[in-house]
C-alpha cells in the first residue's frame, strides 16, 4: 500500500521557470557551469553553487548554509512562490527525439521506503547518504525528485490525459530541445482518486535516485527521534518523487571502458576470454549486441562479439542473469582485476544513449585499452532483482526521463 500524497510545491513564477530550471549540477562541465552562472542570474545553479558570488570554492557546512541563504533570497525576490494548497503536479517531458514521458510529481513516504513498499535495486554508499542527509537538514528543501515507477494504471492515465487538455501552468523548452509541461491538480475528487489508486498498489520501484531517497529516509529517522510529538504527517516524513508508469521508462545500458589489460598481452587476454566466451572478430565495423548474454568488445582497433558459453557460467538468481553482473564475474574481476566497480580508477562508464563510437574514441585515443557493450536491462529484470532483495552492480542502468532541478521544490 503506497502512500503518495499531494504537497505545496515552491515553484518559479511562470515568466522565470525556463531561466531557473537546471540540469543536475554534476552534469555540467566547468566551462558550461561558468557560462550559465555568468550569463543567467536566475539559474538554480546559483543556489547550489553559492561560492560563485564570492569567487571562492566553498564546501561542507559553510556551503550548506550559503545554499540556504541563496534559496531564501530567491523566495524574497519572488522568483520562487509556494502554492497555497497541496497539489499533485502532472509533469510531461517531450525530448529532442520526440520521446514522451508523463507522470506525477508528489510526496512519497519515507516509511514506505523503510517497509520496502518502495523497492530498491541498487546499493548506496553510506558516506554519500550521510553527506546528503546533512545537506538536506541544513538547506530545508529538496529540488530534484526521485524517479519512481509503478505498474501502468488506466485510471491514473485517464486523469493525466484529462488534465493535459487544460492550459499548462508551465511550458518551456531547454537549450537541449526538451520541452517541459506542468499542470496542477487541486480538485478534491481528482486528488482523492489519484491517492486511492496509489494506495491500492502493494509496491512501487525506485528507477533513479537511490541516494536521494536513502538520504531522505535518514533525515526522517533523525527528525523523528528529535521530535517528542512526532505524529507521522510532518513534512520530513516524505520526500519529493516523480512517478511514471513502467511503460514510460526508457532504460539504456552503461558501457564499460578499462584503462589496461591487467598486464596481459592482447593475445593472452583473448585466450583467457575464450574459456568462457565464443569470440568472433567483427573487424572495424561498429558492432552492438542484440541479445541477453551477448557482449560487444572493442580492442586494438577492432570490434568483437562475445557470446557467453552456457557451460561456463552458473545462473542461480536473477542477479546472476544480469549482463552487467556476468561481465563483472567473468571478465572485469577475474581477468582484468577490477574488484570495486565504484572506486577503481581503471574503469569508466559511457551511457548507452551515446553512440558506440564514444567507446571506440576512448580506446583509439589511448586513454583506455578495451571497451565492452551490452543490451539494456528491462523493467522486469529490475523488479525481479528488487523483489529478491538483491542489488545490481553500479552503473547497470541509465534511465530516462531526467528532470530539471528547481521546477518543483519540496520543503521540510
Amino acid at each position: 500500500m503506497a502512500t503518495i500524497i499531494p504537497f505545496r510545491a515552491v515553484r518559479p513564477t511562470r515568466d522565470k521557470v525556463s531561466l531557473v530550471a537546471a540540469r543536475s549540477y554534476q552534469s555540467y562541465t566547468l566551462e558550461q557551469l561558468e557560462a550559465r552562472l555568468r550569463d543567467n542570474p536566475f539559474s538554480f545553479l546559483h543556489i547550489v553553487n553559492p561560492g560563485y558570488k564570492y569567487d571562492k570554492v566553498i564546501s561542507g557546512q559553510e556551503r550548506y548554509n550559503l545554499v540556504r541563504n541563496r534559496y531564501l533570497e530567491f523566495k524574497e525576490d519572488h522568483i520562487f512562490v509556494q502554492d497555497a494548497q497541496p497539489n499533485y503536479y502532472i509533469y510531461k517531458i517531450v525530448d529532442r527525439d520526440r520521446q514522451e514521458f508523463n507522470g506525477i510529481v508528489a510526496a512519497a513516504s519515507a516509511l514506505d521506503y523503510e517497509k520496502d513498499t518502495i523497492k530498491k535495486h541498487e546499493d548506496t554508499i553510506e558516506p554519500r547518504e550521510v553527506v546528503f542527509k546533512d545537506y538536506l537538514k541544513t538547506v530545508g528543501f529538496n529540488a530534484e525528485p526521485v524517479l519512481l515507477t509503478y505498474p501502468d494504471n488506466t485510471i491514473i492515465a485517464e486523469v493525466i490525459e484529462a488534465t493535459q487538455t487544460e492550459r499548462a501552468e508551465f511550458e518551456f523548452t531547454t537549450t537541449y530541445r526538451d520541452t517541459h509541461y506542468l499542470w496542477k491538480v487541486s480538485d478534491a475528487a481528482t486528488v482523492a482518486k489519484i491517492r486511492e489508486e496509489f494506495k491500492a498498489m502493494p509496491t512501487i520501484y525506485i528507477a533513479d535516485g537511490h541516494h536521494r531517497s536513502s538520504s531522505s529516509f535518514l533525515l526522517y529517522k533523525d527528525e523523528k527521534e528529535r521530535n517528542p510529538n512526532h505524529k507521522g504527517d510532518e513534512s520530513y516524513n516524505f520526500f519529493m518523487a516523480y512517478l511514471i508508469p513502467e511503460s514510460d521508462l526508457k532504460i539504456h545500458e552503461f558501457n564499460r571502458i578499462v584503462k589496461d589489460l591487467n598486464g596481459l598481452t592482447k593475445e593472452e587476454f583473448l585466450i583467457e576470454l575464450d574459456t568462457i566466451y565464443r569470440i568472433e572478430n567483427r573487424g572495424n565495423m561498429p558492432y552492438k549486441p542484440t541479445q541477453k548474454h551477448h557482449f560487444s568488445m572493442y580492442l586494438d582497433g577492432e570490434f568483437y562479439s562475445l557470446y557467453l558459453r552456457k557451460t561456463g557460467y552458473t545462473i542461480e538468481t536473477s542477479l546472476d542473469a544480469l549482463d552487467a553482473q556476468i561481465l563483472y564475474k567473468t571478465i572485469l574481476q577475474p581477468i582484468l582485476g577490477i574488484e570495486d566497480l565504484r572506486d577503481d580508477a581503471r574503469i569508466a562508464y559511457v551511457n548507452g544513449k551515446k553512440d558506440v563510437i564514444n567507446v571506440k574514441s576512448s580506446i583509439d585515443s589511448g586513454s583506455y585499452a578495451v571497451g565492452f557493450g551490452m543490451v539494456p536491462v528491462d523493467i522486469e529484470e529490475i523488479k525481479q532483482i528488487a523483489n529478491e532483495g538483491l542489488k545490481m552492480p553500479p552503473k547497470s542502468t541509465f534511465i530516462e526521463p531526467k528532470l530539471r532541478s528547481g521546477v518543483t521544490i519540496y520543503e521540510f
Side-chain angles (χ1 to χ4, degrees), residues 84-95:
Q85 68 183 74
N87 303 286
Y88 288 116
Y89 300 91
I90 306 298
Y91 202 107
K92 174 181 175 180
I93 304 171
V94 181
D95 71 14

Side-chain angles (χ1 to χ4, degrees), residues 136-165:
L136 293 174
K137 184 177 292 189
T138 299
V139 304
F141 68 85
N142 190 354
E144 188 175 353
V146 173
L147 183 63
L148 301 180
T149 188
Y150 59 89
D152 287 34
N153 181 286
T154 302
I155 293 175
I156 294 177
E158 289 172 352
V159 169
I160 290 174
E161 184 177 357
T163 303
Q164 290 177 348
T165 62

Side-chain angles (χ1 to χ4, degrees), residues 116 119-123 318-319 382-392:
D116 209 33
K119 289 188 174 291
K120 313 91 182 167
H121 66 265
E122 285 186 4
D123 271 329
S318 57
L319 179 60
I382 291 175
K383 289 167 62 177
Q384 186 63 34
I385 286 171
N387 290 341
E388 292 179 18
L390 303 171
K391 300 294 185 289
M392 291 183 175

Side-chain angles (χ1 to χ4, degrees), residues 225-239:
E225 290 173 4
R226 290 177 54 212
N227 183 1
N229 300 312
H230 173 82
K231 295 184 296 182
D233 59 356
E234 298 87 353
S235 59
Y236 60 74
N237 290 276
F238 300 90
F239 58 93

Side-chain angles (χ1 to χ4, degrees), residues 19-20 22 25 33-54 63 66-71 73-74 79:
L19 298 170
V20 171
Y25 177 78
L33 189 60
E34 170 65 28
R36 282 156 176 79
L37 289 167
R38 182 186 65 240
D39 299 333
N40 180 5
F42 300 107
S43 174
F44 190 77
L45 294 171
H46 282 283
I47 293 178
V48 294
N49 189 40
Y52 181 79
K53 182 177 181 178
Y54 302 104
R63 174 176 171 259
L66 289 176
V67 168
R68 176 70 178 168
N69 293 345
R70 295 292 85 75
Y71 174 67
E73 288 172 4
F74 270 50
I79 299 168

Side-chain angles (χ1 to χ4, degrees), residues 6-236:
F7 70 102
R8 295 174 58 216
V10 175
R11 301 185 287 119
T13 55
R14 187 193 296 267
D15 62 319
K16 299 289 196 305
V17 63
S18 63
L19 298 170
V20 171
R23 301 200 320 271
S24 173
Y25 177 78
Q26 294 82 4
S27 68
Y28 293 94
T29 65
L30 289 176
E31 293 77 13
Q32 291 172 332
L33 189 60
E34 170 65 28
R36 282 156 176 79
L37 289 167
R38 182 186 65 240
D39 299 333
N40 180 5
F42 300 107
S43 174
F44 190 77
L45 294 171
H46 282 283
I47 293 178
V48 294
N49 189 40
Y52 181 79
K53 182 177 181 178
Y54 302 104
D55 194 26
K56 178 183 176 183
V57 176
I58 300 173
S59 61
Q61 189 62 44
E62 183 182 21
R63 174 176 171 259
Y64 305 165
N65 292 333
L66 289 176
V67 168
R68 176 70 178 168
N69 293 345
R70 295 292 85 75
Y71 174 67
L72 293 176
E73 288 172 4
F74 270 50
K75 291 184 73 175
E76 290 162 2
D77 293 339
H78 302 290
I79 299 168
F80 285 142
V81 178
Q82 187 168 30
D83 285 327
Q85 68 183 74
N87 303 286
Y88 288 116
Y89 300 91
I90 306 298
Y91 202 107
K92 174 181 175 180
I93 304 171
V94 181
D95 71 14
R96 63 187 302 169
D97 300 320
R98 308 310 298 169
Q99 293 180 125
E100 188 172 306
F101 307 96
N102 294 278
I104 299 175
V105 178
S109 168
L111 186 59
D112 283 352
Y113 181 91
E114 183 176 34
K115 296 188 304 182
D116 209 33
T117 299
I118 296 175
K119 289 188 174 291
K120 313 91 182 167
H121 66 265
E122 285 186 4
D123 271 329
T124 52
I125 302 172
E126 185 176 356
R128 283 181 60 188
E129 294 176 342
V130 174
V131 165
F132 193 57
K133 181 260 292 183
D134 292 341
Y135 169 84
L136 293 174
K137 184 177 292 189
T138 299
V139 304
F141 68 85
N142 190 354
E144 188 175 353
V146 173
L147 183 63
L148 301 180
T149 188
Y150 59 89
D152 287 34
N153 181 286
T154 302
I155 293 175
I156 294 177
E158 289 172 352
V159 169
I160 290 174
E161 184 177 357
T163 303
Q164 290 177 348
T165 62
E166 304 168 1
R167 183 193 183 198
E169 288 282 316
F170 291 156
E171 179 182 348
F172 65 95
T173 301
T174 71
T175 53
Y176 285 77
R177 300 181 185 178
D178 300 333
T179 303
H180 297 244
Y181 306 82
L182 180 141
W183 294 262
K184 288 196 306 183
V185 177
S186 55
D187 172 70
T190 307
V191 165
K193 183 184 296 186
I194 294 172
R195 187 165 182 167
E196 288 303 310
E197 287 303 310
F198 281 118
K199 191 175 180 180
M201 297 178 188
T203 54
I204 54 179
Y205 296 82
I206 299 175
D208 192 26
H210 283 77
H211 280 92
R212 276 171 279 143
S213 52
S214 61
S215 299
S216 296
F217 171 66
L218 292 180
L219 178 66
Y220 149 77
K221 288 199 346 182
D222 280 4
E223 295 302 304
K224 179 182 177 181
E225 290 173 4
R226 290 177 54 212
N227 183 1
N229 300 312
H230 173 82
K231 295 184 296 182
D233 59 356
E234 298 87 353
S235 59
Y236 60 74

Side-chain angles (χ1 to χ4, degrees), residues 166-374:
E166 304 168 1
R167 183 193 183 198
E169 288 282 316
F170 291 156
E171 179 182 348
F172 65 95
T173 301
T174 71
T175 53
Y176 285 77
R177 300 181 185 178
D178 300 333
T179 303
H180 297 244
Y181 306 82
L182 180 141
W183 294 262
K184 288 196 306 183
V185 177
S186 55
D187 172 70
T190 307
V191 165
K193 183 184 296 186
I194 294 172
R195 187 165 182 167
E196 288 303 310
E197 287 303 310
F198 281 118
K199 191 175 180 180
M201 297 178 188
T203 54
I204 54 179
Y205 296 82
I206 299 175
D208 192 26
H210 283 77
H211 280 92
R212 276 171 279 143
S213 52
S214 61
S215 299
S216 296
F217 171 66
L218 292 180
L219 178 66
Y220 149 77
K221 288 199 346 182
D222 280 4
E223 295 302 304
K224 179 182 177 181
E225 290 173 4
R226 290 177 54 212
N227 183 1
N229 300 312
H230 173 82
K231 295 184 296 182
D233 59 356
E234 298 87 353
S235 59
Y236 60 74
N237 290 276
F238 300 90
F239 58 93
M240 184 167 63
Y242 180 48
L243 298 105
I244 70 170
E246 293 172 2
S247 61
D248 264 21
L249 276 184
K250 182 65 176 177
I251 306 173
H252 303 275
E253 74 280 12
F254 264 107
N255 298 313
R256 277 82 165 120
I257 50 179
V258 182
K259 285 186 179 294
D260 58 68
L261 299 182
N262 198 27
L264 299 172
T265 66
K266 172 184 173 181
E267 290 72 22
E268 290 169 338
F269 178 59
L270 289 172
I271 289 171
E272 290 275 358
L273 290 182
D274 193 76
T275 303
I276 200 162
Y277 288 95
R278 292 177 54 195
I279 305 171
E280 183 177 342
N281 188 319
R282 302 278 182 153
N284 59 12
M285 291 297 293
Y287 167 75
K288 290 191 70 172
T290 58
Q291 296 183 44
K292 299 289 184 186
H293 309 342
H294 290 187
F295 301 87
S296 64
M297 180 175 73
Y298 185 70
L299 173 68
D300 194 26
E302 296 178 305
F303 286 92
Y304 296 80
S305 59
L306 307 179
Y307 298 164
L308 183 69
R309 296 184 189 275
K310 295 179 180 180
T311 57
Y313 181 82
T314 302
I315 295 176
E316 296 180 347
T317 69
S318 57
L319 179 60
D320 295 332
L322 190 74
D323 282 347
Q325 181 76 352
I326 292 171
L327 189 66
Y328 174 64
K329 286 295 187 181
T330 60
I331 300 177
L332 299 179
Q333 183 188 49
I335 300 176
L336 295 179
I338 294 173
E339 296 290 339
D340 190 338
L341 291 171
R342 291 187 185 277
D343 295 327
D344 195 318
R346 295 172 56 228
I347 190 169
Y349 303 90
V350 181
N351 79 65
K353 190 175 182 182
K354 298 179 179 178
D355 194 272
V356 68
I357 297 303
N358 288 78
V359 173
K360 180 180 184 297
S361 299
S362 297
I363 311 304
D364 290 344
S365 71
S367 300
Y368 293 86
V370 62
F372 302 95
M374 64 196 88

